[in-house]
Each structure stands twice: as structure tokens, then as C-alpha cells.
Amino acid sequence: MKEKKDTRIVIGMSGGVDSSVAAYLLQQEGYDVVGVFMKNWEEKDDDGYCTALQDFEDVVEVSEKLNLPYELVNFEKEYWDRVFTYFLDEYKRGRTPNPDVMCNKEIKFKAFLEHAETLGADYIAMGHYAAKDVHEGKARLLRAKDLNKDQTYFLCGLNQSQISKAVFPLAEVTKPEVREIAEKLELSTAKKKDSTGICFIGERDFNAFLDKFLPAQPGKIVTPDGQVMGDHEGLLYYTIGQRKGLGIGGKGTGEPWFVIDKNIQTNELIVVQGKKNPKRYKSALEAEKVSWIADEPPAESFTCTAKFRYRQPDQGVDVKRLEGDRWLVTFHEKQAGIAPGQVVAFYDGRVCLGGGIIDFAID
């Protein structure tokens, strides 16, 4: 095995504090570290300034402070073809996609990995909060020490070759510790606000952004029995389980309203009232495009835990293969807010087994 000084790790640097500190930690461990800024999207903010340029300037500043070689690589075409078109296609189908999962699968751990290998990389790294080990000859994806920041949910679409080539410098570091390290080093990113939401939308209004690519078609908000409760601005702006922003609060019993379905044919948003309304709760889902970190499932039928949303606590499930990469996921307790297009990630304790796309929920 190579000595650390001869092991090259190419790290994706976003211009944020996490990847900045991740690069420093790899340097401290004695690796040959190279920083690469991925330019995946080009759009100016309201002041006419390219936000990607600001992020790259932060990468330059941090890299020079750490005496770290760096470069910029342009993946705009790959991002458009593999992530953004998928994002738009899912919305056209009335679903709610998760572009971050697709970005990890197709860009950060595929296009970026391929580029890193041309730079002589033995491994790649990012600023993700996740961990990895090797068990019985296979790489495993593990939850990070900082469970509040753990990002394995967004990495559940990776495969064995991708995970085996990855290292996770922030595996045992908490977010407050990352900030503390950055401040001690006087890095320009130390107090930089974390990016939130979808990278190509940033801080802008989501609906206004989406309307540029998929013009909205307003329609009616109805109950399951057809009672009209109000008007919606366009089905693509709403997701299953949504409570806020419906504009029909105070109607009926005064309890909150929730989105439970979309009828694409009639352009109707279907809602029910009350948190405990039984129509909100489903007993199972079918998932498609399911992939496994180990490249194979634990079994054709097994029990584990799962997440259907990033911040959700783990839920007990029974998982059974239907055909190919389609799986039936039966809940131990009925679940609300199962949104087609979103991701279901599977876990065995600390180990992330894999994940797939929610196709539809089952009553």
C-alpha cells in the first residue's frame, strides 16, 4: 500500500466551510491533496453577479491559505444532461424529485471521479458528513458521527466502485468542530452561511425559478370527494404532505390542510383536513431504480429501517424484490407524506444499504 504522502486525494471544494476543513484535515493526515472546484451551473443573482464566481474566489482564498494546489473544472453540460433534465422531467410527471441525490450519483461521484483519475487520484473526497469502512472485502457507507448533519440519505444512490474510491474526512467531526477549526485557521469560509435547498436555485424564489422552465397551470384545490376548497398556482409547486402555503387555512374545522395527491389529468390538487386524517397515511410504497451500496441487496426479502425524507427518524420496514430494480417497501407503522419522486434510503443500524426513487404509495 502507498504511504500517505504518495496517496493522492482530489477533493471537491465548493467554497463552503465543510470542504475547506475537509481539505485541511486530509493535509494534516499527510496525503497529497489537490482541490477542484466544480462549476455545475451558471446563473447570476439579482445584482448581476455570478454566484459560482464568488464560490470559486473563496476556494482560491482557502487553497492559497492552505498552500493547496487547485483548479476549476466545468461540468455544466454533464449537470444539465444528467441532473437538471431529470429534475424537470420529474416535475412534468407531477412528482417531487431530489436533484441532490442525482448530483451525487452522476456528477460528484461519477463525472468528478473520472476527472480526478486523470489527475492521478487514488481517492476522491468531498465535504459530506458521512463515513466508510470495509467489511468482508466490500466498502460500506456509514452514518457520520454528527447525526444532525449526516448526509448518507443523499449518498444512498452510490455503488460499490464509487464508495470504494471515496474518503470522508468529516466522518468523526461535528459541525461546531468544523467551524472552530476554520476559525482557528482564519479561513475566509469560517463564518460563511451554509448553502440550503437546491444548488441551482439558491436563495431565489423557487416558484419563479421553476416557472422559467415549466410554466405553471393554475387549477382547483379539491377534497377526495370533489369539493372545491380553493385555487392552486400549478401542481408542480406542491408536494405530497405539504401543509403550508395552500391558502385555504381556516376553512372547514379550522384544522390544518394537507396535500395527499395530485390529479395530473384534471389538474387538481387533492387535500384533506386534520393531521390524523386516515387518508394521509399509507401502508407501503413501491420504489424504482433501487441500487445497493454493495451492488447487491442483503436478500430478496428482508427487514431494515428506512427514511422517506432527509430529516425523518428511521422507520421500520419490510423490503421485498418485485422485479429487476423495483422493490415493495411495507411500513411497520403507517406513514404520511410519501411523495413520489422523492428518495427512500435503507439502513441497517449505522450502515446505509442503498436506496431508490419512490414510484407510488399504497393505501
Side-chain angles (χ1 to χ4, degrees):
M1 185 175 175
K2 288 183 179 180
E3 291 186 29
K4 283 188 175 181
K5 66 183 176 60
D6 298 320
T7 299
R8 171 163 285 192
I9 298 179
V10 176
I11 180 166
M13 297 186 70
S14 65
V17 68
D18 294 327
S19 58
S20 301
V21 171
Y24 167 75
L25 293 175
L26 290 172
Q27 279 186 319
Q28 292 302 106
E29 288 186 46
Y31 292 108
D32 172 21
V33 186
V34 176
V36 172
F37 176 77
M38 288 174 275
K39 190 167 183 292
N40 297 333
W41 189 263
E42 163 117 46
E43 185 144 348
K44 294 178 179 176
D45 63 17
D46 293 337
D47 298 322
Y49 188 76
C50 178
T51 51
L53 181 60
Q54 174 63 61
D55 289 335
F56 182 58
E57 287 173 358
D58 289 332
V59 168
V60 171
E61 209 166 322
V62 167
S63 298
E64 291 179 348
K65 179 92 174 178
L66 299 177
N67 196 25
L68 177 77
Y70 63 89
E71 70 167 32
L72 179 151
V73 61
N74 193 315
F75 288 138
E76 288 180 44
K77 183 180 187 307
E78 291 87 345
Y79 194 90
W80 183 280
D81 292 344
R82 303 183 198 177
V83 179
F84 192 63
T85 55
Y86 151 80
F87 171 84
L88 294 181
D89 288 344
E90 286 288 270
Y91 270 108
K92 287 175 188 174
R93 296 175 63 190
R95 298 172 25 144
T96 307
N98 193 315
D100 292 331
V101 173
M102 192 61 68
C103 180
N104 284 325
K105 183 176 181 176
E106 294 292 336
I107 305 299
K108 292 181 179 177
F109 291 84
K110 190 171 183 180
F112 180 85
L113 174 57
E114 291 165 359
H115 177 77
E117 288 176 336
T118 70
L119 302 177
D122 296 289
Y123 298 97
I124 61 169
M126 305 281 167
H128 287 113
Y129 287 84
K132 165 191 164 182
D133 72 358
V134 177
H135 179 72
E136 296 180 351
K138 288 206 168 184
R140 298 193 301 183
L141 177 64
L142 309 177
R143 301 187 214 241
K145 174 185 176 182
D146 190 339
L147 293 178
N148 187 52
K149 294 296 291 184
D150 176 69
Q151 292 172 298
T152 52
Y153 176 84
F154 299 108
L155 300 169
C156 71
L158 302 185
N159 59 33
Q160 186 63 197
S161 64
Q162 291 170 310
I163 288 292
S164 64
K165 280 285 191 177
V167 295
F168 297 99
L170 303 185
E172 299 298 323
V173 188
T174 65
K175 184 70 181 201
E177 289 169 341
V178 164
R179 292 279 185 198
E180 187 179 335
I181 292 168
E183 287 182 20
K184 280 183 180 176
L185 295 171
E186 297 181 344
L187 298 183
S188 59
T189 55
K191 289 182 165 56
K192 190 173 180 179
K193 188 173 141 186
D194 286 350
S195 58
T196 57
I198 301 166
C199 61
F200 47 78
I201 296 175
E203 302 297 323
R204 286 165 300 166
D205 179 78
F206 176 82
N207 291 8
F209 174 86
L210 206 53
D211 193 55
K212 290 181 3 185
F213 298 93
L214 298 172
Q217 295 180 313
K220 297 298 180 184
I221 301 176
V222 302
T223 61
D225 61 6
Q227 183 181 358
V228 176
M229 303 307 302
D231 299 297
H232 67 74
E233 297 176 359
L235 293 181
L236 68 169
Y237 298 146
Y238 305 86
T239 190
I240 307 301
Q242 181 172 331
R243 168 184 171 177
K244 296 180 179 177
L246 302 181
I248 54 173
K251 295 191 176 183
T253 63
E255 291 181 279
W257 290 88
F258 296 87
V259 175
I260 63 162
D261 204 357
K262 302 177 185 181
N263 188 324
I264 302 297
Q265 283 70 40
T266 62
N267 193 30
E268 291 175 329
L269 188 70
I270 302 170
V271 297
V272 295
Q273 191 165 33
K275 188 174 182 180
K276 295 182 179 179
N277 190 307
K279 291 185 182 297
R280 291 188 63 222
Y281 293 86
K282 306 295 181 180
S283 60
L285 65 82
E286 270 196 33
E288 62 181 357
K289 301 176 183 172
V290 176
S291 62
W292 304 98
I293 302 294
D295 288 341
E296 56 187 16
E300 295 295 288
S301 180
F302 60 96
T303 298
C304 66
T305 63
K307 287 176 178 283
F308 319 111
R309 297 178 296 281
Y310 172 45
R311 290 292 185 186
Q312 181 186 31
D314 283 29
Q315 304 296 314
V317 295
D318 296 318
V319 186
K320 180 181 179 182
R321 188 197 288 271
L322 298 174
E323 56 181 348
D325 60 2
R326 294 189 68 87
W327 292 73
L328 174 66
V329 183
T330 304
F331 315 142
H332 293 177
E333 294 182 6
K334 284 197 168 189
Q335 300 290 317
I338 303 298
Q342 281 289 298
V343 168
V344 52
F346 302 107
Y347 293 88
D348 178 9
R350 191 183 174 191
V351 181
C352 178
L353 301 171
I357 308 297
I358 298 170
D359 193 16
F360 58 86
I362 301 168
D363 290 335

